[in-house]
Structures are given as structure tokens and as C-alpha cells.
């Protein structure tokens, strides 16, 4: 029987929508569940198959939760402000909001076409003034609580475009758009004081169910380090240098000091520096090197001594030279270090290169002449000799009158851009009152229409040219004043969108308190690994702040955060329009159906790993669904007619596997379990309706349209208790209650599941290399994948691809190389 996906997919999408099947209920008595994926940026290129991967993954989880009886919120919206839209507007003169409308229409159509169980009623758009009114309101709260301030900050300036660039527009030190050189310029920018939340952002992590890599990245980004600030007097004049060190215990081995090349003192000491031209040349040289390159491991150390400048080591009384070098960062610690080459790798490399003295002061466990960075007892350290290094940290600091100090690598968040397509910053600049917040009742400050979207030659936002908008009365003194013409960065709207979904149409508040209490926190958030240091930290900070001022019910916004792997283009390159390798879902859905695309995307590999698109892959998914379809349409019989024990057991194992695998996002293995079940159905067997109904339910989150059609067929067929074939009827869900997507999630019978695992023997070229425990019935691809994670096997393969794989089900796998 023909698998007519086109007709059923459209039909069920309409039916589900008509019944509001996926609308979240703010006042339900059921337990709530909130699933979230990172809302898309509606680009002009439309969606590609890679975008869909996280949506399908979270859709599967949301559908399972609904079937488990939860009241589910699974929303979507558009992160609509952003550079590509703005740059397109600059190029074409088409207004960004028109471009955005067109793009969101495309995205909406595409996402709807995969049948995701989203609550479209709550759709939001960050560039809509009804939304950004609240982004502006929140900015005013930051301002009120002294967490927003203006500071001189270096920005990226393209010498040819004559505009300030966002960091993401600078690629390898060049302007992403024209390829010319980019230089640092200083500009007054709005900043948000995220550093005030460094400790809370760290503490909060402990209780959260985030992937370990995500936690690690956040911890490293915050970069807490506990140490001391110690003062070194200078021989020249009254100046002194304060260094930050995590190892005050090593001070007797500090044989020189190093300042960051941009350190203020270099300018202050200019008159005393004997080799000033050389020093200035070095300063210029380092300006062109990106920060990442400066700190990169293994990078050749460079630096210049400040001729004629000497400091006194307060512990030894020795005169030591002062250098500038780019391995010391201006904004980390105090921008100055005491160098202890015997016990710090970077100092060690530097000292060897420039032949500076290396004095060991900690007893080392390695050979003499190497750098020992570990702990030990102190040697040649005056009165501290013999003390343990850990103990000496405090003792030395105290003795020298230093301060114990905690530093963070995290820096405040640059919150303004001199660009058009963003939220206007709701501040008025008055010559006599300073920065005056726009009164809350006057929000939103609507982004005015302009003709030219290009930033001005002087680097100011195009908004600065709209005199009628800029000139306002000062809200305080009523004197003439001007609006702030900077706009917020791309990260603003996405820092709180998950809150708006709780109550997306509210006109009086960003969301009603009761509704926030009903929905927050997000139970499961999935997003890209590329967003875990910026967006994920920004939005946690934003929510922590709103919690502190009593605006939201939970300190942390997300209980759990996972990440998906990218889908790469055929051959493994990143999908991008410029490479012409983008795969659109549209044609695939037309040819194979949304369900086949969904199943293929979930089956193609482990969800959390990057994987290349295989144009033939979807055929397998399509064939699987065809087989399911044929069984469901032709071979279902009443329970009394058939009771295959083996098949019942297999089904219960499948239910267990699929139930567990969804929870760990092992969607690929869940699908292979369902494939095994379908194989178990053979080509002849009659399948009893009660078994089949359970199978259709576990299939439903993956292939919602096919499952609905088969389920509807079943319920009518069942009620009539007839076993003859019935042709495809024009059934619709009569009430939302009868949809498979609200049917209870099946539980398995543990008694039926015995002896479910076996030891798979792994061989390389016929030689035994180990075993792994696997569920019986495991397929070749899954067995192969797991076997290839075994270290002994990897060693035996030695990086070679296997030419052939011999797989004996439930017994062994042999890689021939
Ligand atoms: C002396 C010393 C001796 C150090 C020793 C380490 C080992 P973490 O833990 O990564 O935070 N440091 C301080 N400020 C710096 C800056 N602005 N740029 C580059 N490096 C800087 O690193 C703290 C250590 O990094 C500090 O402790 C300092 O070197 C260096 F056996 O001081 B230490
Ligand atoms: Zn004023």
C-alpha cells in the first residue's frame, strides 16, 4: 500500500492546529514542562537541515512529555535584530523590518512543514517594539541598580568601511566584509557589570544539570583565580608596581617584573626609559596581535626591557629589571606580574630566551634545570625556608603587607554598538543632568525609520543623523537634550526571551508574575556549543539580576542544558551559502515527507556529535517508514487472533530502549531499536492491535504524522473489532483527546525483559581486542560506533580506516584493515 505522506502530513498539521493540540495551558492542574531551543535568527537564506536538528530533538522530548501527562510549553520566536539583516539593508536600501518580515515568513513556513509541536500562539520577535519595550525596561533596571555604566572601551574600527565592527565581524584581524585592516579605537560605550555576578554565576553552576563541557567552559570563561597583590617599589621616583600572583610563596625567586605593553606605567615612566623608541616600536607591534594569539600556548615569547628602570624585590632586596611583554595582558589582574622563571612555564621560556636569572625557591620533584610548577617546601627563602608552599602563600603575603585578592578573567559586557538595527538605548544625554533614563512610561523608545543604514564616517550610529529623533527635552530639567544614539548588541533580546514565552502578549509587564511562577525555570534547554560562554552566561546573569530585584521567581533560568552537534555539508565542510553547499529541507520534504526527514536527521548519528550530510541517508529512513506504513495498513489483527510471545517481548524491550534513549538524546539508537522491532514483525506475521498501538505511540515523537494516521486507523478499526484490510479513510481527530500525541506513553513490562545484554567480541583483523556489553539485537552501525570508542581497538586500528567490517549479530564485530 502506498505511503502517501504528502496528503497525511498536511492534513494532520491542520488538524493539530485546529484543535490547539500543542498550546500550553497557563492554568492546568497537570505538572508543567518547559522545553526550549535557541530561537533562530531569521536569515535571508532560509533554514537548512542543520537548523532543524535541535528543533526535532526538542520536539521529540516535548512530545514524549505530553504523552507522559505533562502540560508542556514548547515555544518559538525570532532573534530578529542582527548584523546580516542590517548589512543587507545597507547594500540594498530595503528596510530591515521588511527584510525581517519576509525572512520570518519563510522560517515559519519551513518549521511548520516539519510538524514540530510548537505553541505558535506565543511566537515572539525581538525586533518588535512590543517586545523590545521590555528589553529597554530591563536596561533601565540595570541602570537604576548601578549595573549599567559608560566607559572608554576599545572597539574594532574598519579603516576602509569606516565603521565600528562587532567582534564577530572581525575575522583574522580583517574586516569580514571588505577584507581591509581593522584597528582598535577607543570609544565611550555602555557596559553591563556582569563581573558583579561572577561569583553567583560560578556558584549557581553547581546545582545545574548542564553538560560537563558546558560547565567547564563557563568556569574557564569566568576564570576565577585566588592570589595576592604585592607591591614592588621602583628605584626611579616614587612609583611602584603592583603585581597579581597566585604564587606569593615564590617571591624569593622573582628575578624580573613584566608589564603588559599597554600598561599605564610605561607612559608615566617614559622620561626615564632609555630605549623609548624600541619600547614604543614594541607597543605598536603588539597592538596588531589578537588576544588569542598573544596567549596561545607555545607562541614564541617576545618582549623588550625598559632600559634604566629597576624595581626592588621586597623579599630579597635585590634590584631586578622591568620588561614589557605581550604574554602579560593589560586587563588581567593588575596588568603586571612578578616573573618566577624557576616555577612558571611562561616565565621560564621567557627567561631562557632573554638569558634572565632562574632562581629555584621551591623544592622540586623534577630534574634540576627544568621548571617546577607544583607545590613543595621552600628553599633559599629567608625566614620562610622549609615552610610548605601552600602555607607560605598567606605568610609571605602578610609579611610583605600584600593583599589577598581574587581576580576574574570575566570582563564587563560591552552593551552598545554604533549601528542601526538594534534596540535604542533608552537614555537621554543632557548637558546639565548627565545621562538621564527615559521615564518608564515613555517606553518603548521606538527605532525611527531612516533612509541610510550605514554608520556615519565619524563612527556614530546612523541614528545620530535623525535630528528630529535625537533632539528631545531632558526629562529632568526640561532643557534641550539629545537621545543616546547607540543601540544594544545582538545579545540583548536573547537574554530574556524565555521569560516572555510565559506570557508573550502581556502589555503591562514583560510577563505576569503568576505565569512566570507557573512556567519557570526552563526544564530542558538545548543549544549550540558556540553559545555557552556568551549567550548562556549573559542570560543567566540577566535572570539572576531580575531575581535579585524580585522580578522573576527563580535565580537560575535553565535547569538543564544540552548541546547538539552540527550537521556538516556532504564531505564534512561547514554548511554555508558562500560555499554553495547548503541543504534545504524544502525539496526533501516534498520528495520524502517531513517524517522521513525527521527520522533521518535523528538517525544519522549521535545527536551531540557533528556529522556530514549524506544525500542517500534519507532513503533508509523513508524505507523504514514505508514498512511501518504497510504493516499498519495491512497486517493488524484483533488480539484474540494472534499472540506472538517473541514479538511481545521484543516490543517491550523496544519500549524500554526508546523511553530511555529519548532521555539521553540517543535518538539514533532509539530509532535503530524501532527498526529492530519492525524487522521482528517479519514479512508475513499478523500483528495484534494492542501491540501495534503501543509501537505507534513510541514512534509518534519521531514520525508524528505517520503515527497519527496509523493510530487513527487503529482506534476505529479496533472499535469495530474487524480484521479485514481497510483502505485509507479520511479520518480526522474528532476530539483532541483521541490524538496519538496525547495518548499515554507506554510502559514496559519488566518481567518480559530478561537476558537483554550480551558480550560483543571485538576483533581487528581477526585478532581479539576486547569486549563490550551491549543490548541484544543491537545493529551493526551502533555496535561499530561503540566498538570504535574502545581504546584498545583504536590503538590496534592505528588511525587506519577499516576496509571491511564483519558483523555477527549478538556475537562479534571484526574490523579488517
Ligand atoms: C608569579 C608566579 C609564580 C605565578 C609561579 C605563577 C606561578 P591564573 O592561575 O591563570 O589566574 N599573571 C598575573 N597577571 C597576569 C597578566 N595580566 N597576564 C598574564 N599573566 C598574569 O594565573 C595567575 C598567574 O598568572 C599569576 O601568578 C601570574 O604569574 C600570572 F611560580 O605570579 B604568577
Ligand atoms: Zn537635564
Amino acid at each position: 500500500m502506498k505511503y502517501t505522506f504528502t496528503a497525511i502530513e498536511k492534513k494532520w498539521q491542520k488538524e493539530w492546529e485546529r484543535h490547539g493540540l500543542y498550546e500550553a495551558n497557563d492554568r492546568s492542574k497537570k505538572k508543567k514542562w518547559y522545553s526550549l531551543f535557541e530561537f533562530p535568527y531569521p536569515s535571508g537564506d532560509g533554514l537548512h537541515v542543520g537548523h532543524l536538528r535541535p528543533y526535532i530533538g526538542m520536539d521529540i522530548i516535548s512530545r514524549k512529555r505530553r504523552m507522559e501527562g505533562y502540560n508542556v510549553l514548547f515555544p518559538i520566536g525570532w532573534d530578529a535584530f542582527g548584523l546580516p539583516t542590517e548589512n543587507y539593508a545597507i547594500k540594498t536600501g530595503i528596510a530591515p523590518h521588511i527584510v525581517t518580515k519576509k525572512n520570518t515568513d519563510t522560517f515559519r513556513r519551513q518549521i511548520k512543514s516539519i510538524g514540530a509541536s510548537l505553541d505558535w500562539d506565543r511566537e515572539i520577535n525581538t525586533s518588535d517594539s512590543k517586545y523590545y519595550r521590555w528589553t529597554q525596561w530591563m536596561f533601565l533596571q540595570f541602570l537604576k541598580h548601578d549595573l549599567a555604566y559608560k566607559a572608554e572601551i576599545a572597539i574594532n574600527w574598519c579603516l576602509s568601511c569606516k565603521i565600528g565592527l562587532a567582534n564577530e565581524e572581525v575575522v583574522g584581524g580583517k574586516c569580514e566584509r571588505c577584507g581591509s585592516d581593522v584597528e582598535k579605537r577607543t570609544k565611550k560605550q555602555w557596559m553591563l557589570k556582569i563581573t558583579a555576578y561572577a561569583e553567583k554565576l560560578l556558584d549557581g553552576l553547581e546545582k545545574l544539570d548542564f553538560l560537563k563541557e558546558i560547565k567547564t567552559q563557563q568556569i574557564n570563561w569566568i576564570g576565577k583565580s585566588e592570589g595576592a597583590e604585592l607591591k614592588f617599589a621602583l628605584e626611579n621616583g616614587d612609583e611602584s608596581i603592583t603585581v597579581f600572583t597566585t604564587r606569593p610563596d615564590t617571591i624569593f625567586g622573582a628575578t624580573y617584573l613584566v608589564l603588559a605593553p599597554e600598561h599605564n606605567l610605561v607612559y608615566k615612566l617614559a622620561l626615564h626609559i632609555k630605549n623609548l623608541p624600541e619600547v614604543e616600536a614594541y607597543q605598536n607591534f603588539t597592538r596588531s596581535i589578537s588576544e588569542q594569539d598573544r596567549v596561545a600556548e607555545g607562541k614564541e615569547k617576545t618582549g623588550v626591557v625598559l632600559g634604566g628602570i629597576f624595581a626592588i624585590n621586597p623579599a630579597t632586596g635585590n634590584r631586578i629589571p622591568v620588561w614589557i611583554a605581550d604574554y602579560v595582558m593589560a586587563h588581567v589582574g593588575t596588568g603586571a606580574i612578578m616573573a618566577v622563571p624557576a616555577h612558571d612555564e611562561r616565565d621560564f621560556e621567557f627567561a631562557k630566551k632573554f638569558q634572565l636569572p632562574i632562581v629555584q625557591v621551591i623544592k622540586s620533584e623534577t630534574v634540576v634545570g627544568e621548571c617546577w610548577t607544583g607545590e613543595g617546601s621552600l628553599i633559599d627563602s629567608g625566614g620562610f625556608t622549609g615552610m610548605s608552599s601552600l602555607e607560605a602563600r598567606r605568610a609571605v603575603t602578610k609579611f610583605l603587607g600584600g593583599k589577598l585578592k581574587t581576580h576574574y578573567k570575566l570582563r564587563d559586557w560591552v552593551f552598545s554598538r554604533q549601528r542601526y538595527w538594534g534596540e535604542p538605548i533608552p537614555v537621554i544625554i543632557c548637558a546639565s543632568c548627565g545621562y538621564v533614563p527615559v521615564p518608564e512610561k515613555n517606553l518603548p523608545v521606538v527605532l525611527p525609520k531612516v533612509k541610510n543604514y550605514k554608520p556615519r564616517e565619524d563612527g556614530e550610529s546612523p541614528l545620530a543623523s535623525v535630528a528630529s529623533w535625537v533632539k528631545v527635552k531632558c526629562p529632568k530639567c526640561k532643557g534641550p537634550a539629545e537621545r543616546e544614539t547607540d543601540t544594544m548588541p545582538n545579545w540583548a533580546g536573547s537574554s530574556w526571551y524565555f521569560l516572555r514565552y510565559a506570557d508573550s502578549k502581556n502589555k503591562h509587564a514583560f510577563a505576569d508574575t503568576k505565569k512566570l511562577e507557573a512556567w519557570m525555570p526552563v526544564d530542558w534547554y538545548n543549544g549550540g556549543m558556540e553559545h555557552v560562554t556568551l549567550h548562556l552566561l549573559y542570560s543567566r546573569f540577566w535572570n539572576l539580576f531580575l531575581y535579585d530585584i524580585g522580578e522573576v521567581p527563580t535565580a537560575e533560568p535553565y535547569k538543564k542544558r544540552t548541546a547538539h552537534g552540527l550537521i556538516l555539508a556532504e564531505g564534512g565542510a561547514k554548511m554555508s551559502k558562500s560555499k554553495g553547499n547548503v541543504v534545504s529541507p524544502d525539496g526533501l520534504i516534498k520528495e520524502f515527507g517531513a517524517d522521513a526527514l525527521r527520522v533521518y536527521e535523528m538517525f544519522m548519528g549521535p545527536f551531540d556529535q557533528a556529522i556530514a550530510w549524506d544525500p542517500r541517508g534519507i532513503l533508509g529512513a523513508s524505507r523504514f517508514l514505508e514498512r511501518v506504513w504497510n504493516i499498519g495498513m495491512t497486517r493488524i489483527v484483533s488480539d484474540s487472533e494472534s499472540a506472538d510471545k517473541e514479538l511481545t517481548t521484543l516490543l517491550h524491550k523496544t519500549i524500554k530502549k526508546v523511553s530511555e534513549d529519548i532521555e539521553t538524546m540517543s535518538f539514533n539508537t532509539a530509532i535503530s531499536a524501532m527498526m529492530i522491532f519492525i524487522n521482528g514483525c517479519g514479512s508475513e506475521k499478523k500483528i495484534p492491535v494492542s501491540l501495534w498501538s503501543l509501537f505507534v505511540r513510541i514512534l509518534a515523537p519521531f514520525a508524528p504524522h505517520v503515527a497519527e494516521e496509523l493510530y487513527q486507523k487503529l482506534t476505529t478499526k479496533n472499535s469495530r473489532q474487524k480484521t479485514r484490510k481497510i483502505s485509507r479513510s479520511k479520518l480526522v481527530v474528532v476530539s483532541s483527546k483521541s490524538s496519538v500525541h496525547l495518548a499515554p506513553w507506554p510502559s514496559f513490562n519488566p518481567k518480559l525483559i530478561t537476558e537483554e545484554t550480551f558480550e560483543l567480541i571485538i576483533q581487528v583483523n581477526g585478532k581479539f581486542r576486547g569486549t563490550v556489553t551491549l543490548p541484544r539485537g543491537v545493529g551493526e552501525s551502533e555496535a561499530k560506533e561503540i566498538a570504535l570508542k574502545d581504546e584498545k581497538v583504536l590503538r590496534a586500528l592505528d588511525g587506519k580506516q577499516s576496509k571491511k567490517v564483519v558483523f555477527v549479530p549478538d556475537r562479534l564485530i571484526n574490523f579488517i584493515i
Side-chain angles (χ1 to χ4, degrees):
M1 179 166 276
K2 196 150 168 35
Y3 166 38
T4 48
F5 51 81
T6 318
I8 65 159
E9 288 181 355
K10 285 270 148 8
K11 175 180 80 177
W12 289 118
Q13 285 169 14
K14 265 194 213 132
E15 275 307 298
W16 297 331
E17 193 166 331
R18 195 162 71 83
H19 285 284
L21 210 61
Y22 306 128
E23 278 170 28
N25 182 346
D26 291 322
R27 264 183 282 277
S28 167
K29 290 214 176 63
K30 293 183 190 171
K31 258 175 79 184
K32 72 97 179 178
W33 177 268
Y34 185 173
S35 333
L36 184 69
F37 56 73
E38 291 176 328
F39 65 161
Y41 169 73
S43 78
D45 310 335
L47 278 170
H48 62 61
V49 288
H51 293 115
L52 296 178
R53 198 182 197 194
Y55 308 166
I56 299 169
M58 288 318 289
D59 187 42
I60 290 170
I61 286 158
S62 306
R63 286 180 180 279
K64 178 166 184 259
R65 288 292 179 275
R66 257 183 231 103
M67 296 173 76
E68 287 169 335
Y70 286 85
N71 173 31
V72 173
L73 171 56
F74 183 40
I76 184 162
W78 316 110
D79 190 12
F81 279 132
L83 287 168
T85 304
E86 174 163 348
N87 290 340
Y88 184 78
I90 292 173
K91 223 168 44 193
T92 62
I94 303 173
H97 65 271
I98 292 170
V99 178
T100 299
K101 164 86 174 57
K102 201 176 127 237
N103 294 349
T104 51
D105 285 347
T106 307
F107 270 57
R108 192 182 302 101
R109 174 186 61 71
Q110 288 184 304
I111 295 175
K112 284 195 170 181
S113 73
I114 61 159
S117 64
L118 290 157
D119 182 351
W120 286 97
D121 200 41
R122 295 176 190 244
E123 182 181 335
I124 58 176
N125 179 330
T126 55
S127 68
D128 179 345
S129 64
K130 293 197 275 303
Y131 180 91
Y132 68 68
R133 162 187 184 166
W134 299 107
T135 314
Q136 291 174 333
W137 180 85
M138 288 170 187
F139 176 85
L140 293 181
Q141 309 313 305
F142 280 115
L143 196 60
K144 207 188 281 176
H145 290 85
D146 291 326
L147 291 170
Y149 64 97
K150 235 180 177 183
E152 287 278 350
I153 262 292
I155 62 162
N156 310 299
W157 181 261
C158 171
L159 293 166
S160 146
C161 302
K162 296 201 176 67
I163 54 173
L165 300 176
N167 282 332
E168 60 269 31
E169 290 179 299
V170 183
V171 177
K174 309 270 182 201
C175 172
E176 184 198 44
R177 297 186 299 142
C178 74
S180 341
D181 286 335
V182 172
E183 153 187 301
K184 292 267 179 211
R185 285 207 178 168
T186 58
K187 185 123 196 42
K188 268 205 152 182
Q189 306 267 43
W190 283 100
M191 308 285 290
L192 289 190
K193 215 189 259 171
I194 188 171
T195 52
Y197 275 73
E199 211 40 54
K200 282 194 176 180
L201 286 166
L202 273 179
D203 282 352
L205 274 181
E206 264 166 48
K207 280 162 277 146
L208 299 176
D209 181 12
F210 285 14
L211 286 186
K212 205 161 133 242
E213 306 91 276
I214 298 180
K215 284 195 185 184
T216 308
Q217 283 206 26
Q218 295 218 331
I219 291 167
N220 291 345
W221 191 264
I222 296 167
K224 178 176 181 172
S225 81
E226 286 173 289
E229 283 184 3
L230 303 174
K231 210 179 210 177
F232 285 69
L234 285 183
E235 240 183 25
N236 324 61
D238 314 327
E239 299 290 348
S240 66
I241 295 177
T242 302
V243 304
F244 172 67
T245 174
T246 47
R247 296 295 301 271
D249 51 305
T250 63
I251 190 162
F252 287 85
T255 53
Y256 59 97
L257 298 185
V258 187
L259 302 178
E262 20 335 35
H263 199 290
N264 256 335
L265 217 67
V266 183
Y267 304 97
K268 277 200 192 156
L269 293 172
L271 289 177
H272 301 280
I273 297 173
K274 295 217 172 98
N275 54 342
L276 196 59
E278 196 191 348
V279 166
E280 286 178 339
Y282 183 72
Q283 285 180 312
N284 284 334
F285 160 71
T286 55
R287 214 160 292 167
S288 64
I289 306 176
S290 81
E291 201 161 295
Q292 285 96 309
D293 292 345
R294 275 174 63 164
V295 296
E297 220 169 291
K299 175 189 168 273
E300 169 90 17
K301 296 274 172 297
T302 60
V304 172
V305 70
L306 300 183
I309 306 291
F310 288 92
I312 306 296
N313 180 326
T316 61
N318 291 343
R319 227 171 150 241
I320 58 174
V322 180
W323 287 66
I324 56 173
D326 67 358
Y327 77 97
V328 175
M329 311 304 296
H331 55 79
V332 175
T334 60
I337 66 158
M338 64 175 201
V340 185
H343 304 292
D344 180 278
E345 288 288 353
R346 292 162 298 181
D347 301 342
F348 185 64
E349 278 173 43
F350 193 84
K352 274 197 303 187
K353 174 161 177 187
F354 294 102
Q355 281 152 21
L356 292 156
I358 301 174
V359 177
Q360 191 185 342
V361 292
I362 308 281
K363 213 182 246 167
S364 112
E365 289 167 22
T366 52
V367 265
V368 184
E370 270 181 36
C371 173
W372 169 247
T373 58
E375 308 294 340
S377 56
L378 270 57
I379 51 178
D380 293 331
S381 296
F384 299 93
T385 302
M387 195 182 267
S388 80
S389 51
L390 284 169
E391 203 184 331
R393 302 248 223 285
R394 269 172 186 277
V396 167
T397 307
K398 196 167 167 214
F399 176 72
L400 297 175
K403 272 190 297 189
L404 290 174
K405 188 103 195 193
T406 302
H407 276 288
Y408 300 90
K409 292 212 177 82
L410 183 69
R411 275 175 283 162
D412 281 342
W413 175 6
V414 182
F415 203 69
S416 51
R417 305 186 314 136
Q418 291 68 48
R419 303 296 290 259
Y420 174 74
W421 190 230
E423 303 85 347
I425 291 176
V427 167
I428 288 163
I429 303 158
C430 167
S432 37
C433 311
Y435 297 118
V436 183
V438 170
E440 285 178 16
K441 64 172 177 5
N442 294 348
L443 297 180
V445 176
V446 175
L447 187 62
K449 299 236 157 79
V450 300
K451 283 207 190 73
N452 181 3
Y453 303 98
K454 195 172 166 174
R456 307 196 318 183
E457 291 273 306
D458 59 1
E460 291 303 328
S461 152
L463 292 179
S465 306
V466 191
S468 59
W469 182 80
V470 171
K471 293 214 168 75
V472 282
K473 263 196 208 147
C474 167
K476 256 197 195 154
C477 71
K478 309 292 176 220
E482 293 192 345
R483 279 191 195 283
E484 173 61 70
T485 57
D486 284 2
T487 54
M488 298 186 196
N490 295 347
W491 308 103
S494 59
S495 291
W496 69 278
Y497 73 112
F498 47 90
L499 297 170
R500 186 66 174 169
Y501 284 140
D503 190 12
S504 65
K505 297 186 182 105
N506 198 321
K507 289 194 178 122
H508 310 289
F510 66 88
D512 175 72
T513 311
K514 285 248 155 57
K515 291 184 185 169
L516 288 170
E517 278 165 5
W519 291 116
M520 289 299 290
V522 172
D523 293 283
W524 193 332
Y525 189 17
N526 185 81
M529 249 352 249
E530 69 278 20
H531 293 141
V532 306
T533 49
L534 299 180
H535 160 67
L536 199 58
L537 273 177
Y538 291 156
S539 57
R540 286 184 60 219
F541 158 55
W542 201 285
N543 194 83
L544 281 164
F545 165 68
L546 290 176
Y547 176 72
D548 283 348
I549 61 168
E551 291 289 342
V552 297
T554 65
E556 288 289 342
Y558 321 116
K559 256 195 191 157
K560 177 179 176 112
R561 170 61 154 75
T562 51
H564 55 269
L566 294 179
I567 293 184
L568 305 168
E570 217 183 321
K574 211 177 156 183
M575 274 194 197
S576 83
K577 200 183 174 191
S578 60
K579 292 203 192 93
N581 59 9
V582 171
V583 181
S584 158
D586 295 355
L588 293 165
I589 291 177
K590 232 179 240 147
E591 198 177 340
F592 299 98
D595 282 340
L597 178 61
R598 292 172 62 109
V599 168
Y600 174 53
E601 288 214 11
M602 293 298 103
F603 185 60
M604 64 191 300
F607 185 73
D608 60 351
Q609 283 168 35
I611 187 146
W613 185 256
D614 173 1
R616 288 167 305 275
I618 195 169
L619 287 168
S622 166
R623 245 176 267 132
F624 164 63
L625 292 177
E626 247 167 52
R627 292 191 65 191
V628 171
W629 178 265
N630 275 319
I631 295 173
M633 287 297 168
T634 60
R635 285 163 47 195
I636 309 306
V637 294
S638 77
D639 287 348
S640 51
E641 222 175 297
S642 164
D644 187 328
K645 213 165 171 206
E646 214 178 306
L647 198 62
T648 311
T649 305
L650 180 58
L651 176 71
H652 280 260
K653 282 181 181 168
T654 312
I655 294 173
K656 179 170 190 280
K657 178 90 180 123
V658 172
S659 305
E660 289 168 358
D661 283 357
I662 290 178
E663 298 307 318
T664 55
M665 301 188 122
S666 311
F667 304 117
N668 55 332
T669 52
I671 292 170
S672 62
M674 290 190 278
M675 290 174 169
I676 291 169
F677 174 75
I678 290 300
N679 285 341
C681 290
S683 51
E684 302 284 282
K685 263 184 215 168
K686 299 283 176 203
I687 316 295
V689 67
S690 59
L691 274 195
W692 187 248
S693 140
L694 297 181
F695 174 76
V696 170
R697 283 189 240 167
I698 58 171
L699 177 72
F702 298 84
H705 310 89
V706 172
E708 187 76 292
E709 183 75 15
L710 295 179
Y711 190 75
Q712 296 308 323
K713 189 121 298 182
L714 214 55
T715 41
T716 35
K717 188 172 174 177
N718 197 21
S719 61
R720 282 189 260 147
Q721 285 296 323
K722 280 185 184 160
T723 58
R724 64 179 168 80
K725 282 187 198 175
I726 32 175
S727 60
R728 200 171 61 76
S729 75
K730 292 196 177 58
L731 283 175
V732 289
V733 189
V734 221
S735 84
S736 58
K737 279 204 187 76
S738 60
S739 167
V740 68
H741 301 297
L742 300 179
W745 184 257
S747 50
F748 61 90
N749 181 350
K751 279 193 210 121
L752 289 174
I753 302 171
T754 46
E755 239 211 297
E756 38 181 9
T757 59
F758 74 102
E759 297 286 304
L760 176 79
I761 296 164
I762 311 173
Q763 301 178 330
V764 176
N765 281 348
K767 226 175 164 175
F768 177 80
R769 294 293 174 182
T771 62
V772 279
T773 310
L774 287 178
R776 283 195 179 276
V778 68
E780 173 169 344
S781 61
E782 197 193 338
K784 185 173 158 192
E785 185 192 306
I786 291 164
L788 286 177
K789 287 207 176 101
D790 190 281
E791 259 178 43
K792 274 190 253 127
V793 177
L794 287 176
R795 234 176 294 133
L797 286 173
D798 193 24
K800 293 190 196 82
Q801 287 286 330
S802 49
K803 276 200 225 96
K804 203 177 136 196
V805 179
V806 181
F807 178 68
V808 184
D810 291 358
R811 250 189 75 73
L812 72 80
I813 190 160
N814 183 6
F815 297 95
I816 315 286
I817 53 172

